[in-house]
Amino acid sequence: MTGTTELLTDFDINDTLNHAATIQTVIASMDPDKTAMVNQTNNTWKFRYGTVEVVVNITGEEPTDIFTVFSQVLAYPVKDEARLCKLLLEKNATDTMEARYALQDNCILVLASRSVEDLSAAEISRIITIVASIADEVDEPLQQEFAA
């Protein structure tokens, strides 16, 4: 996966302001089985990475729009919720880089988001790679230890 960022460093996203094309390029490089799907608004992609599904969304091209990548790693109900929460908070402090663990709709996610202002192709690649890699690495151990 280290090659993903390198593939995109020559592509200057600021010249074209087309984040969607960059996202598609990154996903294509990470999705050898061609599982990626784009929703009808053309702003959301889903693809398989190892054992997880990764969702990438961009709300638009304006500086205030948001680029988000997430992947579900564990669904509720869970065992030993207090220990799980402590573990995830510790991991947020040491293991997640630009990503973080979050709870949404009774699901534990690995999540990263930022505004699209000054968003580069390298950042898009890095964020997608971080979320996908962490999620794929932790989903099975978390499910084995904490799934109810």
Side-chain angles (χ1 to χ4, degrees):
M1 280 194 318
T2 57
T4 303
T5 301
E6 294 165 8
L7 290 173
L8 298 173
T9 53
D10 294 335
F11 182 81
D12 186 358
I13 189 116
N14 295 320
D15 288 343
T16 63
L17 290 178
N18 187 351
H19 297 101
T22 303
I23 291 167
Q24 287 179 196
T25 301
V26 172
I27 290 172
S29 72
M30 296 178 72
D31 183 28
D33 296 330
K34 306 293 184 230
T35 64
M37 296 173 39
V38 180
N39 78 358
Q40 293 164 355
T41 66
N42 294 322
N43 291 329
T44 301
W45 296 259
K46 294 180 181 181
F47 68 100
R48 298 285 313 163
Y49 185 83
T51 57
V52 296
E53 180 177 75
V54 179
V55 178
V56 180
N57 177 266
I58 190 164
T59 61
E61 298 287 338
E62 296 300 316
T64 57
D65 284 313
I66 303 296
F67 169 67
T68 304
V69 182
F70 69 89
S71 182
Q72 178 181 322
V73 293
L74 182 64
Y76 271 66
V78 296
K79 301 182 285 193
D80 202 354
E81 185 175 25
R83 190 165 62 84
L84 171 64
C85 290
K86 182 179 185 221
L87 174 69
L88 296 180
L89 285 171
E90 289 170 346
K91 286 181 170 292
N92 275 348
T94 60
D95 298 348
T96 57
M97 295 174 267
E98 290 88 6
R100 63 193 177 277
Y101 290 95
L103 175 63
Q104 182 178 30
D105 298 328
N106 287 322
C107 295
I108 302 291
L109 309 173
V110 177
L111 169 76
S113 61
R114 76 176 296 289
S115 73
V116 298
E117 186 170 18
D118 299 323
L119 181 63
S120 71
E123 287 176 292
I124 289 170
S125 178
R126 178 175 168 82
I127 291 169
I128 293 172
T129 301
I130 287 170
V131 169
S133 297
I134 291 172
D136 186 46
E137 182 179 315
V138 304
D139 67 319
E140 292 172 310
L142 287 176
Q143 289 166 17
Q144 288 175 351
E145 189 169 349
F146 294 103

